[in-house]
């Protein structure tokens, strides 16, 4: 091989290694089942994430519904709390369950999955982030929500 080609290949390999060493890895993934008789408005689904190392964590909320869900949209009220990192935040999420023609917008058949990226959160080492979620719909017992989950990805510093 010629020296210039070696130099280009080495540069590409170095860039790939650098990207791989700073990738995000799932550090938490957990789902909670929702009462199939209906998710009561005052019932809260909670998740607790412990940060093994300090850093910025990207959060994602996953939601699964079935054909019993009676609305075209779902409003979720989320609360984030971390004492050590002083995180205190409320967020309202809106999921479009069906479009104007009534077609389901989620992925899957029978059970439909939706995802929403949440704001990144900076946590201290050994900090605990508590996420509480409840629905903001007018109906008290909300049918058709199968389960809900949170995934947290942290930076991989190898």
């Amino acid at each position: 091989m010629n020296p210039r080609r070696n130099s280009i290949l080495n540069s590409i390999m170095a860039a790939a290694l650098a990207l791989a060493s700073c990738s995000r890895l799932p550090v938490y993934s957990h789902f909670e089942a929702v009462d199939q008789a209906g998710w009561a408005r005052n019932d809260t689904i909670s998740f607790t994430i412990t940060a093994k190392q300090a850093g910025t964590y990207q959060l994602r909320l996953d939601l699964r519904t079935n054909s019993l869900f009676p609305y075209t949209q779902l409003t979720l009220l989320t609360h984030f709390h971390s004492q050590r990192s002083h995180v205190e935040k409320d967020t309202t999420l809106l999921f479009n369950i069906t479009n104007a023609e009534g077609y389901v917008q989620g992925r899957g058949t029978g059970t439909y999955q939706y995802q929403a990226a949440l704001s990144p959160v900076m946590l201290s080492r050994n900090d605990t982030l508590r996420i509480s979620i409840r629905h903001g719909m007018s109906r008290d017992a909300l049918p058709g929500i199968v389960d809900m989950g949170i995934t947290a990805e942290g930076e991989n510093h190898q």
Side-chain angles (χ1 to χ4, degrees), residues 42-105:
N42 60 350
D43 283 350
T44 301
I45 297 174
S46 298
F47 301 91
T48 302
I49 301 168
T50 302
K52 302 242 188 271
Q53 64 183 25
T56 301
Y57 292 83
Q58 180 59 54
L59 305 174
R60 183 183 73 226
L61 186 138
D62 293 294
L63 168 74
R64 293 185 203 146
T65 66
N66 62 29
S67 61
L68 298 176
F69 187 76
Y71 298 107
T72 60
Q73 295 182 325
L74 171 64
T75 301
L76 296 179
L77 309 171
T78 64
H79 178 75
F80 299 83
H81 172 76
S82 171
Q83 190 152 352
R84 292 179 85 186
S85 297
H86 307 290
V87 173
E88 194 77 36
K89 178 170 59 170
D90 292 310
T91 303
T92 301
L93 299 173
L94 181 65
F95 285 90
N96 291 315
I97 304 299
T98 61
N99 65 15
E101 290 79 35
Y103 293 107
V104 173
Q105 298 300 292

Side-chain angles (χ1 to χ4, degrees), residues 7-62:
S7 176
I8 292 171
L9 286 174
N10 287 340
S11 296
I12 291 171
M13 288 175 39
L17 185 59
L19 287 174
S21 66
C22 291
S23 64
R24 295 201 169 268
L25 296 175
V27 294
Y28 177 88
S29 184
H30 182 74
F31 276 81
E32 287 289 331
V34 176
D35 186 348
Q36 292 306 290
W39 183 15
R41 189 177 318 125
N42 60 350
D43 283 350
T44 301
I45 297 174
S46 298
F47 301 91
T48 302
I49 301 168
T50 302
K52 302 242 188 271
Q53 64 183 25
T56 301
Y57 292 83
Q58 180 59 54
L59 305 174
R60 183 183 73 226
L61 186 138
D62 293 294

Side-chain angles (χ1 to χ4, degrees), residues 122-133:
M122 290 185 66
L123 297 174
S124 304
R125 185 173 189 257
N126 295 324
D127 199 356
T128 300
L129 177 66
R130 289 182 178 76
I131 303 170
S132 303
I133 304 168

